[in-house]
Amino acid sequence: MKIIIAGAYAIGTYLAKLLTRNNYDIVLMDHDEENLERLSRDFDLLTMHASATSLSALRSAGAADADLFIAVTPDENENITACAMAHQLGAKKTVAKVDTYEHAELQNADFFKQMGINSLINPEVLAAKDIINGLKMSWVRQRWDVHDGALTMLGIKLREGCEILGKPLREISGPDDPYHIVAIKRGMETIIPGGNDQLELNDLAYFMTMRNYIPYIRKIVGKEHYVDVKNVMVMGGGTTAVRALNTLPEYMNAKVIEQNEQRCEELNELFDSEDVLVINGDGRDVALLNEEGIRSTQAFVALTNNAETNILACLTAKRMGVRKTVAMVENVDYIDMAESLDIGTIINKKVIAASHIYQMMLDVNVHNVKFLTTANADVAEFIPVQGSKVTLKPVKDLNIPRGMTIGGIVRGNEGMLVSGNTMIEPGDSVVVFCHQVDMKKIEKMFN
């Protein structure tokens, strides 16, 4: 597959690194020659020092033969223009990063498709959605719904009181149990578990289950005493905070602490709800946090542009009794550190955006892809075609690659877990977890 990426910035750089794992034919274009030299030295990709809106440069990059053209420069107008030009030259699919909320709304998709842009992504909107999903369940680190909750993946940190520690998975997560453990993050190690593996204290375990069994999962992992989030404190009043808090559930109240006085005045105009209170101050000020009721707050969300500030603020909030903390960590190198410090939910906009772009690169019918940042693993929803390998034998006889597991399937609108005797049918939505597996191998099973 030939892929052209315009923009060697946060998303483009991360995406290029991610894609080199699967041996795609990649061209990375950018104005900044220094960034390109560093990337070409460390990764197997072709770089081009040129503008993405130069017709001659697009032709030289091979846009006419590109399977996918991705424009992720900081300028949304440049991204839209570059995608339209690449489409006219013959690129099969195009995707543009935009910052204007209106552009990414579903009702405008047809308008941009007529321009030759197949998909638009707004990282702020995607991150805001993940934040709100995380706040809805205070005891869960990550949540991912398949087909509107027919299947649900829950990433849960296991503490004292979890009743399924130290037992082989074949005894606690068998065919008759209402959940499967599909991945485990233990320290710096990611495990795609087998029946003999056991859960240990402080593991981050990924459960696949159905919506009606979520209360049961909460009980067995010992999280029933976690109170639901009603009061939220947010540090930082940037765009992500605005997007998240304007979609806050009605039963939640929020306080936003912002240092810049002028920005506070702007925020008062931007928030739709009267349940959001804007406070001018420093979210790291312990006295201010106490004054504003941190000890009666169930969730603390740090969304400044500084990863270290967000991590330290969440640590402070935890020491003051807040159970649910969310930190925006844009430096990928800090993610493992944040996880080791037990920060809570970690938000990285470029990883979230890259996940949405990544699904466009797969040849089979893929409904959704999510990159689990803390576990360094992918979870994807595949739909097999008639005659594909996964539909010919029971799951136990499929010779699934090492590092891959099937979490569950959705047939019609009904979610179900998978056992060794399960027969996958064409048209099923199949949830696949994979760690350090070439995605091309998995694609072949579903084609």
Side-chain angles (χ1 to χ4, degrees):
M1 177 179 282
K2 182 176 179 61
I3 301 167
I4 301 174
I5 302 174
Y9 296 87
I11 296 174
T13 299
Y14 181 80
L15 195 55
K17 293 177 181 179
L18 185 66
L19 295 177
T20 52
R21 302 184 313 182
N22 293 331
N23 301 314
Y24 290 112
D25 179 9
I26 302 169
V27 178
L28 182 61
M29 306 175 66
D30 198 79
H31 303 281
D32 191 327
E33 195 168 11
E34 186 177 330
N35 278 353
L36 293 174
E37 286 178 0
R38 185 171 61 253
L39 282 166
S40 62
R41 185 171 60 246
D42 296 338
F43 297 94
D44 183 19
L45 50 84
L46 178 66
T47 59
M48 178 177 289
H49 181 219
S51 168
T53 54
S54 164
L55 194 58
S56 60
L58 290 172
R59 283 175 173 151
S60 298
D65 302 317
D67 295 289
L68 183 60
F69 182 88
I70 305 164
V72 285
T73 78
D75 186 339
E76 70 172 358
N77 293 324
E78 182 177 351
N79 294 337
I80 290 170
T81 302
C83 283
M85 293 172 68
H87 171 77
Q88 288 298 320
L89 287 171
K92 294 182 178 66
K93 287 183 180 179
T94 65
V95 56
K97 180 183 82 69
V98 295
D99 301 312
T100 303
Y101 179 73
E102 180 186 14
H103 288 169
E105 291 183 316
L106 285 176
Q107 62 263 34
N108 296 323
D110 287 340
F111 172 81
F112 285 102
K113 282 181 181 177
Q114 290 174 13
M115 294 176 61
I117 305 169
N118 298 94
S119 180
L120 294 101
I121 59 163
N122 185 317
E124 305 287 352
V125 172
L126 297 174
K129 184 178 179 181
D130 273 16
I131 291 167
I132 295 301
N133 283 341
L135 292 178
K136 288 177 181 177
M137 300 178 73
S138 62
W139 51 282
V140 170
R141 289 286 177 91
Q142 284 182 288
R143 175 176 176 169
W144 191 61
D145 289 328
V146 181
H147 277 260
D148 297 322
L151 284 175
T152 297
M153 183 205 73
L154 305 174
I156 303 171
K157 191 78 170 182
L158 304 183
R159 308 291 194 188
E160 297 281 358
C162 176
E163 62 186 60
I164 55 175
L165 298 177
K167 301 175 183 178
L169 294 188
R170 65 176 181 274
E171 296 180 8
I172 62 170
S173 181
D176 298 326
D177 291 293
Y179 66 91
H180 285 169
I181 308 295
V182 291
I184 302 168
K185 178 69 182 296
R186 180 173 298 153
M188 301 297 290
E189 182 185 10
T190 297
I191 302 166
I192 301 296
N196 294 323
D197 287 299
Q198 300 180 10
L199 297 173
E200 298 180 4
L201 188 67
N202 295 322
D203 280 351
L204 178 59
Y206 290 90
F207 292 72
M208 182 61 69
T209 189
M210 281 77 74
R211 180 182 294 164
N212 54 315
Y213 289 109
I214 290 176
Y216 174 75
I217 303 295
R218 185 174 186 173
K219 176 182 178 297
I220 63 174
V221 298
K223 303 283 187 177
E224 287 183 303
H225 61 288
Y226 277 58
V227 296
D228 293 331
V229 174
K230 292 183 179 178
N231 299 312
V232 182
M233 195 171 286
V234 178
M235 182 176 74
T239 308
T240 304
V242 174
R243 296 288 177 232
L245 293 175
N246 276 337
T247 56
L248 198 70
E250 291 183 0
Y251 60 86
M252 292 186 191
N253 300 303
K255 292 181 179 180
V256 182
I257 303 176
E258 167 59 45
Q259 278 188 295
N260 187 293
E261 189 173 350
Q262 182 179 346
R263 180 59 176 170
C264 286
E265 294 177 5
E266 295 171 357
L267 290 173
N268 280 317
E269 300 296 324
L270 291 171
F271 288 124
D272 299 332
S273 173
E274 295 180 358
D275 294 327
V276 179
L277 176 65
V278 179
I279 299 160
N280 181 219
D282 187 341
R284 296 166 296 182
D285 184 338
V286 173
L288 176 63
L289 294 177
N290 273 318
E291 182 181 338
E292 294 301 332
I294 187 73
R295 298 189 188 280
S296 60
T297 296
Q298 293 83 43
F300 183 88
V301 184
L303 300 177
T304 76
N305 291 325
N306 188 289
E308 296 98 321
T309 297
N310 294 339
I311 291 169
L312 289 172
C314 285
L315 286 173
T316 301
K318 275 189 171 291
R319 284 200 299 269
M320 299 178 78
V322 180
R323 285 193 179 275
K324 180 72 175 182
T325 58
V326 180
M328 188 160 70
V329 180
E330 286 299 274
N331 188 331
V332 176
D333 296 332
Y334 286 177
I335 290 175
D336 283 337
M337 179 186 72
E339 173 60 26
S340 68
L341 292 171
D342 206 13
I343 291 302
T345 300
I346 297 167
I347 297 292
N348 184 293
K349 287 182 287 187
K350 58 188 162 189
V351 172
I352 295 168
S355 294
H356 283 256
I357 296 171
Y358 192 45
Q359 74 183 70
M360 297 187 68
M361 303 169 194
L362 304 175
D363 295 332
V364 294
N365 188 0
V366 182
H367 184 74
N368 210 344
V369 175
K370 188 175 183 66
F371 184 70
L372 305 177
T373 314
T374 52
N376 191 28
D378 298 309
V379 53
E381 183 184 346
F382 289 88
I383 301 176
V385 299
Q386 186 74 40
S388 58
K389 181 179 176 182
V390 295
T391 65
L392 302 179
K393 299 177 182 178
V395 168
K396 68 176 185 296
D397 297 327
L398 289 178
N399 194 24
I400 290 174
R402 182 178 176 82
M404 168 188 163
T405 188
I406 297 175
I409 62 176
V410 179
R411 184 169 296 160
N413 292 316
E414 183 181 355
M416 59 187 75
L417 301 178
V418 170
S419 70
N421 294 320
T422 300
M423 286 292 299
I424 295 171
E425 298 179 1
D428 286 346
S429 291
V430 184
V431 180
V432 173
F433 286 74
C434 50
H435 171 61
Q436 295 181 341
V437 181
D438 187 340
M439 193 64 81
K440 287 292 182 183
K441 292 183 179 179
I442 301 176
E443 288 183 55
K444 290 177 181 178
M445 299 177 66
F446 289 84
N447 271 331

